[in-house]
Amino acid sequence: MAKPINMNPRAELQLSREAYDSIEAWNASLLKIVCKQTPAHAYQAYFAGNERPDSAAFRIGTMVHEWVLEPEVFLKYATTSHGTRTKLYKEAMADAAAKGKPLAAEDEYQLAKAMGDAIKMHPIVGGRFSSEHLNFNEVTLTWTTDGKPCKARLDAIRYVNGKLWIADLKTCQNASWDAFGRDSLEYLYVLQAAFYADGAYACRRDLEKCWGLPAGELENIPMEFEFICIEKTAPHFIARYSMTDEQ
């Protein structure tokens, strides 16, 4: 049974991923399917559940997000040097599960940590991912658009320099402008940015309460959506691509 929620605009700071997945609402992923395929395909994806792929790229990307955004989750991992397709890895996974710990391959874990460290040490955005901002990572927004329930889970949202700053972390092989441009078209990043921005604006009253701001402080506030792309190979180059209200 999906979690029943009040679809009045709301920002939740401590909602688990599992609880977020249970919310019955439109999200950016479903809208991308509608744009690239058909509403029927989105309908099928919606009822197919939230099963996540098991690939090295996905596992590393997940751990980078956890190390930067939810370090307490990242530090719970047990690690093993055994390959992920081996019997010994499965045995190690069972042992870790018995102890209530997730399991990661040691090489993937160390790579994710190095990538996350590169973000944390970045001279501009690194400070925005310091421990004082942890409560505003993995923020869940729920709202209604044209009578349709919507939801989004933002990697990070900050109130800085008189504007709302939303960030989305992307792990990649190539963070160059050309590669990002191709990925933007392929994965409809502009749709994601617009959808998240709409959600943040719809939930601005709740965000004001979360930050302890006066009512109306976020009315008509400028907004910036920034993709932070980090390469998987050393030196883990980071590129930042922003989308503003004007775009």
Side-chain angles (χ1 to χ4, degrees), residues 23-240:
I23 297 171
E24 294 184 344
W26 284 91
N27 61 14
S29 296
L30 288 175
L31 289 176
K32 289 178 183 180
I33 295 173
V34 171
C35 292
K36 297 182 70 173
Q37 296 178 284
T38 68
H41 288 87
Y43 184 86
Q44 175 64 30
Y46 180 83
F47 286 101
N50 295 290
E51 185 174 344
R52 300 181 181 278
D54 183 24
S55 66
F58 183 82
R59 292 191 299 267
I60 292 167
T62 296
M63 287 191 288
V64 170
H65 279 70
E66 290 169 342
W67 182 224
V68 176
L69 307 173
E70 300 176 290
E72 73 284 358
V73 175
F74 182 83
L75 293 173
K76 291 179 181 178
Y77 277 91
T79 61
T80 178
S81 59
H82 302 301
T84 57
R85 297 182 180 275
T86 66
K87 179 180 178 181
L88 291 174
Y89 183 88
K90 293 180 180 179
E91 292 174 353
M93 182 177 290
D95 182 62
K99 298 175 181 177
K101 292 178 173 288
L103 182 70
E106 179 68 26
D107 57 344
E108 294 179 359
Y109 184 86
Q110 293 301 330
L111 175 56
K113 185 175 185 302
M115 294 170 69
D117 285 343
I119 294 172
K120 293 181 180 186
M121 292 186 292
H122 191 276
I124 299 176
V125 299
R128 296 184 185 181
F129 293 104
S130 62
S131 58
E132 66 183 284
H133 296 299
L134 287 179
N135 284 342
F136 289 91
N137 295 339
E138 300 291 359
V139 174
T140 292
L141 304 179
T142 51
W143 71 101
T144 301
T145 297
D146 295 332
K148 301 296 190 295
C150 300
K151 67 177 182 178
R153 189 168 176 87
L154 313 185
D155 282 355
I157 184 168
R158 308 284 187 261
Y159 178 50
V160 293
N161 302 325
K163 67 181 177 182
L164 275 183
W165 179 78
I166 302 171
D168 193 75
L169 306 183
K170 300 290 188 190
T171 58
C172 59
Q173 296 292 344
N174 183 351
S176 70
W177 173 256
D178 287 346
F180 178 78
R182 290 191 296 271
D183 285 347
S184 294
L185 291 174
E186 174 67 20
Y187 301 112
L188 299 179
Y189 288 167
V190 67
L191 182 154
Q192 176 189 354
F195 187 75
Y196 285 14
D198 282 352
Y201 187 74
C203 298
R204 63 194 181 281
R205 297 290 177 258
D206 225 28
L207 288 169
E208 288 170 348
K209 295 176 184 177
C210 293
W211 277 308
L213 299 173
E217 181 77 11
L218 300 182
E219 190 71 30
N220 300 320
I221 190 172
M223 197 174 304
E224 179 182 6
F225 190 102
E226 184 168 339
F227 291 100
I228 300 174
C229 305
I230 179 165
E231 294 180 347
K232 294 178 181 177
T233 55
H236 305 305
F237 176 75
I238 294 172
R240 302 164 59 215

